[in-house]
Amino acid sequence: MKLLSTCDRDAAFSLSEALRLGAAPDGGLFMPAHVPVHVRGSVPSDRSLAEFAADWLRPFFADDTLEGELDAICAEAFTFPVPLVAPLGTDRSLRALELFHGPTGAFKDFGARFLMGCFDRLAGSEPLTVLAATSGDTGGAVGCAAENRRSARAVILFPAGRVSPFQERQLTCWADNVTAVEVEGDFDDCQRLVKAAFAQPHLSAAHRLTSANSINLGRLLPQAAYCAHAAFRAAENSGELPGFIVPSGNLGHGFALLLARAMGAPVGPVILATNANRTLLEWHRTGRYEARPSVATLANAMDVGNPSNFERVAALDPGAAEVTVELVNDDAIKARIAADYAASGYVWCPHSAIAAETWHRLGAKRQGERAWVTAATAHPFKFAETVEPLIGSAVEPSPALASIEGRSTAKQHIPARLEALAELLDREKVAA
């Protein structure tokens, strides 16, 4: 398998090279030279997720230095349950794919652990510097996955005042090889700094920079695997191609689902559900992509005005990239959390509530045509200050989330300038 840049499809890289670099040297994102397609039934879905994922992803690792390590990497990454539940009762078409049972209570745990497993085997004698921008959940997952690893030190950029109190604690509580950096700006500023750092060859080489954002294909491959696994499970239960509704910010999750469908997973219609950031909705309505300043919402991990993975979606064949887009604002998020809790006792986080609200808007006819799988992306305890007043009850943390409360925290603070980030990287390297 060769990987090509979305900017320059002439230069080819191996998978290991693409994972190690994070982003392509020309500033583009890595895409497979061709999308491997599995013949229906060639990857049995009645096994554990780790076993399924290894077989589903094997074509990407063919003839790569990591090929013989894939089974072990998957076994290390997929160690917690991924239940497909009926949040509103068994007689409804809605199914929630609960992706928040990992150590930091968010779907980002899969990609972060998978990628760190790859880095463990690629780093060599000197650690890599994993540079990650986060709008909320990525940073916590990366910090947790990187903690105390000899293969990597993590530098996590997050926007000042734009993450929940618990998310900030989860970003700033890890060991000394993880540095949390509060940036004066929004997520798009953080993402811009990461891309700018990679575009400086001397800076990238001096710190052995790599990425744990969804600009790194290694973050998305495990997501494609669990999307495919869920699709097979839902299809086997209903006999129809299930529809999927994915809360979408930087579009990594949405692209991973579209990649799984292009590879042969039984995925029907795909709806990208967004918060009040209108970039994707306007693209879907007009056919023109235009980045916008990000807007702060209750679903803060999706506060992205210039989703970087759009260029990957645009690089797919038109049929594979077919989606619809639904926008859900804060008032609708709050109403959905309250209404579904009153109806069934199920608690959504603000991001997952966007997907649930999108399902409710389908109407009875479309709901009844097939099973619909919504991605439940984060544990509601991470947003207790939003959720608890709406449901009138306390949200209990998972044991993993409860353990974070007792940790000490530390963070750095910089303006949204590349010079400031470069100086910080130099200081942290000397300190290490």
Side-chain angles (χ1 to χ4, degrees):
M1 172 67 72
K2 293 298 182 183
L3 283 298
L4 309 178
S5 169
T6 51
C7 292
D8 178 6
R9 296 189 64 82
D10 291 329
F13 297 78
S14 70
L15 179 69
S16 288
E17 289 171 329
L19 300 185
R20 163 64 187 82
L21 290 169
D26 58 15
L29 302 183
F30 285 114
M31 282 283 288
H34 69 277
V35 175
V37 179
H38 290 288
V39 176
R40 189 63 57 87
S42 63
V43 182
S45 57
D46 58 348
R47 298 171 299 159
S48 72
L49 176 55
E51 294 170 322
F52 174 89
D55 280 350
W56 190 259
L57 299 178
R58 212 169 296 283
F60 292 96
F61 287 75
D63 299 322
D64 189 79
T65 57
L66 288 175
E67 182 177 19
E69 301 285 347
L70 177 59
D71 292 273
I73 292 168
C74 289
E76 294 168 11
F78 296 99
T79 59
F80 40 88
V82 191
L84 195 60
V85 306
L88 302 182
T90 56
D91 61 333
R92 308 295 291 273
S93 70
L94 180 63
R95 295 293 180 267
L97 183 65
E98 291 188 343
L99 300 166
F100 51 73
H101 295 286
T104 71
F107 76 99
K108 307 292 181 70
D109 283 320
F110 295 99
R113 287 155 61 92
F114 183 92
L115 193 54
M116 289 298 171
C118 294
F119 289 160
D120 276 348
R121 294 157 173 87
L122 293 174
S125 58
E126 184 181 352
L128 302 170
T129 298
V130 181
L131 190 58
T134 185
S135 53
D137 288 329
T138 293
V142 170
C144 179
E147 187 174 42
N148 294 321
R149 289 185 189 254
R150 292 189 298 273
S151 64
R153 66 183 181 117
V155 178
I156 302 165
L157 311 183
F158 69 96
R162 292 288 195 103
V163 300
S164 76
F166 185 84
Q167 283 177 317
E168 179 166 331
R169 169 166 287 279
Q170 203 171 44
L171 289 168
T172 58
C173 70
W174 307 110
D176 290 343
N177 69 318
V178 180
T179 302
V181 184
E182 186 179 54
V183 176
E184 296 172 7
D186 57 22
F187 170 75
D188 292 315
D189 290 314
C190 297
Q191 183 166 256
R192 176 179 53 78
L193 284 179
V194 171
K195 290 183 175 180
F198 280 107
Q200 297 289 326
H202 67 281
L203 185 63
S204 184
H207 296 282
R208 304 192 76 207
L209 292 184
T210 189
S211 175
N213 276 99
S214 60
I215 61 175
N216 194 317
L217 189 65
R219 267 278 311 279
L220 306 183
L221 293 178
Q223 293 176 219
Y226 69 60
C227 286
H229 194 245
F232 280 109
R233 290 155 61 195
E236 289 162 3
N237 290 334
S238 69
E240 300 285 344
L241 292 181
F244 275 75
I245 305 173
V246 181
S248 298
N250 208 29
L251 259 186
H253 213 178
F255 169 77
L257 174 61
L258 297 177
L259 178 63
R261 182 169 68 179
M263 293 175 67
V267 175
V270 172
I271 304 177
L272 304 177
T274 77
N275 59 17
N277 287 275
R278 302 180 61 85
T279 301
L280 292 179
L281 180 66
E282 295 303 327
W283 160 72
H284 183 253
R285 286 178 173 176
T286 67
R288 297 189 304 273
Y289 178 84
E290 183 178 348
R292 297 163 177 259
S294 65
V295 176
T297 74
L298 294 176
N300 64 285
M302 295 161 54
D303 291 348
V304 183
N306 186 17
S308 61
N309 282 289
F310 180 82
E311 59 190 89
R312 282 193 170 117
V313 173
L316 291 170
D317 291 336
E322 184 178 348
V323 299
T324 57
V325 179
E326 185 74 19
L327 185 148
V328 178
N329 63 24
D330 280 357
D331 287 342
I333 291 172
K334 291 188 285 188
R336 181 49 51 207
I337 291 172
D340 283 359
Y341 179 77
S344 69
Y346 194 82
V347 184
W348 302 106
C349 86
H351 311 77
S352 309
I354 289 176
E357 171 64 15
T358 297
W359 177 82
H360 280 277
R361 293 180 184 180
L362 291 174
K365 183 175 185 297
R366 288 195 68 194
Q367 289 172 356
E369 289 174 350
R370 64 186 74 246
W372 287 90
V373 177
T374 63
T377 55
H379 195 290
F381 177 77
K382 300 180 75 169
F383 307 91
E385 70 284 350
T386 296
V387 173
E388 289 179 351
L390 297 172
I391 66 174
S393 180
V395 179
E396 294 299 318
S398 67
L401 296 182
S403 70
I404 290 171
E405 293 287 356
R407 284 176 168 249
S408 60
T409 62
K411 64 182 179 181
Q412 308 275 358
H413 186 92
I414 64 170
R417 297 200 311 267
L418 179 59
E419 300 80 22
L421 175 59
E423 290 173 6
L424 181 141
L425 290 172
D426 289 338
R427 290 198 306 271
E428 292 296 311
K429 185 175 183 180
V430 170

